[in-house]
Amino acid sequence: MKSRSLSTLSLIIRHEARILVRDRTLPLVCCVLALMVGYGLFVGLAQATLRDRMVAQVAKHEQETQRANTGTLQSVLAGKSALVPFSNPANPAALAGTLAGRFATIPNAPLAALAIGQSDMMPNYYRISYLSKVQFMYDTEIENPWNLLSGHFDLAFVIVFVLPLLVTTLGYNLLSAEREHGTLRMLCSQPLSVPTLLTGKIVVRMLALLAIAIPLPLIVVLLIRPETRGVEQLLLMLSWSALITAYTLFWFAVAALVNATGLSSSANALIMVALWTTFVLILPVTMNLVVGLVSPAPSRTELASRTRVATAESLREFESLYSADYRYASDPEALLVKGERIEVPSRMRAFFLAKQRVDEKIEPLLERFDRQLLQQQRLVDRLSLLSPAILVNEALNSIAGTDSRRFVAFKDQTEAFHNKWRQYFSPRILESRAMTAQDLSSLPQWHWIEIPASETSWSIWWRTALMLALAFMVGGAALARSSRSNRIAV
Amino acid sequence: MLDAIAVTKQFGAKRALDNVSLNVLPGEIYCLLGANGAGKTTLVNLFLNFLQPTSGSLQIGMIDVVRHPLETKRLLAYIPEQVTLYGVLSGLENLAFFSSLAIGERLPRPRLLELLEAAGLPRQAADDRVATYSKGMRQKVGIAIALAKNAKALLLDEPTSGLDPSAANEFSELLVKASNDGVAVLTTTHDLFHAKQTGTRLGIMKHGRLVEELRSEDVSHADLEALYLKHMKS
Amino acid sequence: MFAIIAAKDMRELARDGRLLWAGGLILVLLLVALAAGWNRQVQLNNERSAGQALDYDAWLHQGYRHPHDAAEQGMHVFKPEPPLGVFDPGIGPFVGSTVWLQAHRQSEVKFRPAQDATGLQRFGELSPAWLLQVLVPLLIIVIGFNSMSGERERGTLRQLLSLGVPARSLLLGKAAALASCAGVLIAPVGVGFAAFLVARLPAGERLDVVYRISWLAAGYGLYLGLFVFLTLAVSALVRSSRAALVILLGFWVAATLIAPRTASEAVNLLYPTPSRLAFDDHLSHDIAGAASKAWAAHFGARTQWDPSLPLSKWGAALKVDDAAGYGALDENFGGLWDTFERQQRAQEWVGLVAPVVALRGFSMGLAGTDFSQHRDFSTAAETQRRKIQDIVSEDLIKHADPLGNAHFTYKAGPELWASVPPFKYQLPSVSFALAHHWGSLALLAVLFCLSVALAHYALSRPLMR
């Protein structure tokens, strides 16, 4: 009995494939999908390459500055070059500030090309110096705001937005077309159950779509980006494939359920588009609104006011240093390294101290922003249960390493590094210790610590599992409904 | 072979079939006559399990239709008024698909051609797309499907309506041939002449009830017409 | 004649579940979007006007201080939210509204709200403009796809034509019915909100906002009208309702969702945006070049700290340095912003196939939330910064430079702070927006006429085939 229904299923599959190829629906839809996947991937690769290049450029910058500083230091110590207060690397305040040339960078995750996510908006490097956090942490990548508003045409867009539409194109009239055409009566007069018919039809369509959507990007990425060939990356690719399969299955299950109601093709198409609009367009924008209302970000205006107050206070606090006599222009000899000491001009010392004080004062407020963002993210995680589109989008971004979480981690690590940078220089500036060549080569180094893989993979797999469960629930309901109602044929 | 036992079918407030019982034996051709809306097609749909009876039961070869839909459909062949097939496939491909669905194995091409020929489809049309076929030609593919299935029971819904007289005659001959092979045939029709000609038994339905059952050899054409009109008028 | 047809169609639509459900949903979303937008705007405006006042007050009362340090503390200026930002927030979430005016460097607008939001922001913002641009056309398609094909399928078209109904009346009647259905949803809310908005504004701003609203109404009218006639045309041209629906939905998806993204990717290839690193490097390089040239010209010195340039010339040096930088800043930022505007103008051509692109630019422009008006604000803020800088340098030359090495002991007082005027920014008027966006409106008008012509052609062909 089992083998009989299996052979029926395979017959249906072969038959459907032939029909879909003959009437050119399948080749057309597959071509459209292949084009879009290709274009989306191209855009993703271009963005990832751009970011790679930026990180490389920043690293080069850093090395050049390092080399220039070492060179200047040597010639200064040898008394060869003129002394300029702001660009003498022996002066710790100068090296902590304008001469620093230090960067905190976040490298692309290996699969970055698969989704652009937040990476077009969040900076992937910060310039580290003794400046206050408010002065450098809010720099953003340069991008036309119009383009940010439109969004990118990346692979994640193709999957989250377009793939369900192609599923709809292939699946809105699974049964209704056969009924309207009259062939359903013929089919149902044979020993064939409607669930088998429905399953067969879905299997063909799904295989065709997935045969393009999954291998195409993975092969291209594997070929072009060698860093994707690790075990960990292959596991991520596996979860990526599972996620897309689950999402596609979900939409096919919805199409099956809609078809099982026995309405006309036009009605089915309307219902499918209504569902797509709800899940993919309306729910996410409404959720965005809800998140903003339930867990609003603290006021940036308030931050600006607090910053001003803090700056004013610290200016006042170090007033005497700021207004000290300044004889270095006329007496450059005063800036010579004497033994292990160097005179740090009091105004420079004042800058350093004042910025440090500003940060101390606004730190609690900045923490509130970070906390709020994390809280919002947690809310999004919960609300994403309402819309498969949000669920999948979040998971795709996590796989590509372009989600907010990774950028928040980057910001946190940068802040820590910024503090470390200051702490390194603080005693030297206060004690007027001159920087030596050895110091120059042992300055605090930036290391990006990747988010633990276990954390990422957990966040991906629970979403995939949920998506699959959802797909099976809807699909089960569709099959149960279609087997109960033979009236479908009438 | 085809048994309806006290079948009632209710659509909301409307009673489409009211306590109808009939049986069709192997080798019989049972013609159901009646006006539009008398319940003929409903009965056919019930045998196909497209509808379920409100009360009563239907059996094909002593197997209950509702409880074992797949088994009964294996015994059954159905030719609707409009045989609808996949337009982008050829007649042969359609036959290949439906016959493998029905019997679970793929018949070889020569056998398929043989079946189409037996159903009366011109050999050269077998590989044309069905979209180019006339109604009669599609009907023939339908018959070929039934033949391939080697069905024990044949259900026909207005099979000759819209066919030209010669095609209708050809069709009737095929029916007679099938019944001679021991197939039970149930057909609905408006065509008293053909019913009398080919049917072995006749039933007249009205408002969901089977009001008259008679053997075709017992009545003349004229008597049948008079009887039919009498029922239609009252 | 056409009124009879319109009345009949409207009755049919009213009895159909589609209008009720889809329209109801859109109406609810519209109200939610307006309420949320209004709430956000009131809150932001209060915060900003309070922040701005406090900030200037703090500037005035900062006590005695070296003017250069005062410029270091600087001043914050806040971009006022245009009243119609409630309707269309435009690029608002992706540009900030706060500028910290400090010495030495052109400050950029900071704190993009989108940075304080989650990835969900990227799905879009629930705004009335988004609803009108994306969902209302879908509604028109959903209720209108079978308005002609359905008549044909039911056989009622045969009836109508046999009665001698002219094609023009049929077209106008059907269009009127579809348009009124959309209008019934939007108009009461729109008019009500417009009245509310205008009434709450100070009298001086009212006229400008009324003009803006009228132009917006014209733009959206053309856009939605385009969809009405396109729907009718396809419905009449295509064989079945099903085919009409599939074609129209395909167009909707391609035109409202796919085209805008494709367009923005394409123009990025055409006019590439520089990376921040490249931009910053270029800017620093230009400023340094301009400054050293200026020092050489004014003081014969190579660098700012040249021994030949004693502290007694520090104020003068600062003035020269800043003035030299202005040119480089203008050039670099101007170049970047020109790139953005070129990108946008190039995209507007995509409006020929995807009207939403043309409408979006027009809508933002008239709502006052587009890039050109953002640029206007940024320029005004930069002007204010330079004003502060110039006043400070002048004062340094006058009072601090004579002090020699004790330059930094000089402290200016309230009179100097008061000589910096408060930052007053006037939102550009409607004519500014129109000058930037008349092209989009013309494009929409042309597209509208084309769709009317197409519908007319579709209905004047022999309808029974």
Side-chain angles (χ1 to χ4, degrees), chain A residues 140 144 146 150 152 300, chain C residues 116 261 265 276 347 360:
Chain A
T140 44
N144 188 343
W146 170 282
S150 304
H152 279 285
R300 286 290 179 193
Chain C
D116 290 334
R261 288 180 190 246
E265 294 297 351
R276 169 165 297 279
Q347 282 182 51
R360 211 160 58 142

Side-chain angles (χ1 to χ4, degrees), chain A residues 84-106:
Chain A
V84 178
F86 286 132
S87 42
N88 179 0
N91 176 350
L95 198 61
T98 43
L99 295 182
R102 268 293 169 220
F103 292 92
T105 54
I106 179 172

Side-chain angles (χ1 to χ4, degrees), chain C residues 220-279:
Chain C
Y220 278 90
L222 287 173
Y223 175 72
L224 296 177
L226 160 82
F227 270 92
V228 166
F229 283 103
L230 191 70
T231 304
L232 287 177
V234 172
S235 184
L237 281 173
V238 163
R239 251 178 302 134
S240 67
S241 294
R242 189 174 70 106
L245 181 63
V246 171
I247 291 176
L248 286 166
L249 288 178
F251 173 76
W252 175 75
V253 167
T256 54
L257 287 158
I258 295 179
R261 288 180 190 246
T262 323
S264 78
E265 294 297 351
V267 297
N268 248 348
L269 295 178
L270 207 61
Y271 305 107
T273 310
S275 71
R276 169 165 297 279
L277 193 66
F279 178 79

Side-chain angles (χ1 to χ4, degrees), chain C residues 37-386:
Chain C
W38 176 256
N39 181 33
R40 185 192 43 149
Q41 183 167 60
V42 167
Q43 197 185 335
L44 279 184
N45 271 343
N46 286 344
E47 268 180 18
R48 274 175 205 167
S49 50
Q52 183 83 74
L54 274 176
D55 203 276
Y56 187 65
D57 193 57
W59 170 264
L60 290 181
H61 298 101
Q62 59 184 317
Y64 290 87
R65 182 176 286 170
H66 189 268
H68 189 66
D69 295 342
E72 180 84 23
Q73 173 191 329
M75 197 187 262
H76 282 94
V77 295
F78 304 92
K79 186 166 78 167
E81 186 83 354
L84 285 169
V86 178
F87 173 73
D88 188 350
I91 58 167
F94 296 97
V95 294
S97 55
T98 310
V99 184
W100 189 1
L101 308 177
Q102 275 185 302
H104 293 327
R105 266 250 147 139
Q106 170 148 357
S107 312
E108 282 167 76
V109 184
K110 283 195 177 175
F111 305 145
R112 303 172 177 183
Q115 272 186 299
D116 290 334
T118 58
L120 269 189
Q121 177 77 42
R122 308 309 291 279
F123 276 93
E125 177 115 345
L126 180 64
S127 69
W130 180 79
L131 288 168
L132 291 187
Q133 288 165 10
V134 177
L135 290 191
V136 176
L138 180 62
L139 176 80
I140 291 174
I141 289 172
V142 162
I143 63 174
F145 74 95
N146 62 350
S147 69
M148 285 304 298
S149 56
E151 298 256 13
R152 187 179 313 129
E153 280 158 352
R154 280 175 297 166
T156 42
L157 186 61
R158 196 180 278 273
Q159 283 276 5
L160 281 173
L161 293 178
S162 73
L163 293 173
V165 177
R168 180 191 286 270
S169 300
L170 202 56
L171 176 64
L172 284 179
K174 299 249 165 215
L178 275 185
S180 345
C181 286
V184 161
L185 281 178
I186 306 163
V189 182
V191 170
F193 183 73
F196 173 73
L197 188 76
V198 169
R200 306 264 316 221
L201 283 174
E205 292 173 28
R206 277 187 196 157
L207 194 63
D208 186 67
V209 171
V210 169
Y211 276 137
R212 282 171 185 269
I213 291 174
S214 326
W215 282 109
L216 279 174
Y220 278 90
L222 287 173
Y223 175 72
L224 296 177
L226 160 82
F227 270 92
V228 166
F229 283 103
L230 191 70
T231 304
L232 287 177
V234 172
S235 184
L237 281 173
V238 163
R239 251 178 302 134
S240 67
S241 294
R242 189 174 70 106
L245 181 63
V246 171
I247 291 176
L248 286 166
L249 288 178
F251 173 76
W252 175 75
V253 167
T256 54
L257 287 158
I258 295 179
R261 288 180 190 246
T262 323
S264 78
E265 294 297 351
V267 297
N268 248 348
L269 295 178
L270 207 61
Y271 305 107
T273 310
S275 71
R276 169 165 297 279
L277 193 66
F279 178 79
D280 284 352
D281 278 354
H282 200 260
L283 181 62
S284 312
H285 179 260
D286 282 3
I287 289 181
S292 59
K293 223 179 279 169
W295 288 320
H298 282 82
F299 308 108
R302 273 191 307 116
T303 71
Q304 197 177 0
W305 298 100
D306 200 280
S308 66
L309 195 59
L311 211 53
S312 60
K313 281 189 185 162
W314 205 73
L318 212 55
K319 192 175 167 189
V320 167
D321 190 42
D322 286 339
Y326 293 160
L329 285 171
D330 286 344
E331 200 176 300
N332 279 275
F333 277 93
L336 178 67
W337 291 341
D338 283 345
T339 306
F340 287 174
E341 290 196 347
R342 257 200 300 277
Q343 285 179 348
Q344 190 174 339
R345 259 196 300 280
Q347 282 182 51
E348 266 153 25
W349 285 106
V350 178
L352 273 176
V353 285
V356 76
V357 178
L359 177 72
R360 211 160 58 142
F362 178 76
S363 167
M364 279 180 209
L366 270 295
T369 52
D370 66 335
F371 186 74
S372 60
Q373 280 160 91
H374 178 71
R375 180 176 182 169
D376 186 69
F377 169 77
S378 302
T379 311
E382 173 64 9
T383 311
Q384 171 82 354
R385 187 184 75 88
R386 292 180 188 177

Side-chain angles (χ1 to χ4, degrees), chain B residues 91-92 95 109-126 137 140-141 143-145 147 170 174 177:
Chain B
L92 190 95
L95 174 61
R109 188 178 155 89
R111 170 79 184 128
L112 294 172
L113 283 171
E114 207 177 291
L115 286 167
L116 285 174
E117 206 180 331
L121 191 80
R123 169 71 187 78
Q124 66 274 20
M137 289 163 85
K140 283 167 184 161
V141 179
I143 295 167
I145 295 170
L147 293 176
E170 219 178 304
L174 278 165
K177 196 162 158 262

Side-chain angles (χ1 to χ4, degrees), chain A residues 57-123:
Chain A
Q57 225 172 333
V58 161
K60 204 175 112 205
H61 227 76
E62 196 172 287
Q63 278 166 6
E64 274 168 13
T65 323
Q66 176 84 13
R67 215 171 304 131
N69 282 344
T70 317
T72 320
L73 186 67
Q74 275 160 359
S75 70
V76 162
L77 290 179
K80 272 186 214 147
S81 78
L83 288 167
V84 178
F86 286 132
S87 42
N88 179 0
N91 176 350
L95 198 61
T98 43
L99 295 182
R102 268 293 169 220
F103 292 92
T105 54
I106 179 172
N108 272 327
L111 297 178
L114 295 183
I116 290 177
Q118 296 285 79
S119 68
D120 56 346
M121 199 166 65
M122 307 307 261

Side-chain angles (χ1 to χ4, degrees), chain A residues 186-197:
Chain A
M186 295 293 290
L187 285 173
C188 286
S189 72
Q190 307 299 343
L192 162 72
S193 71
V194 181
T196 313
L197 178 66

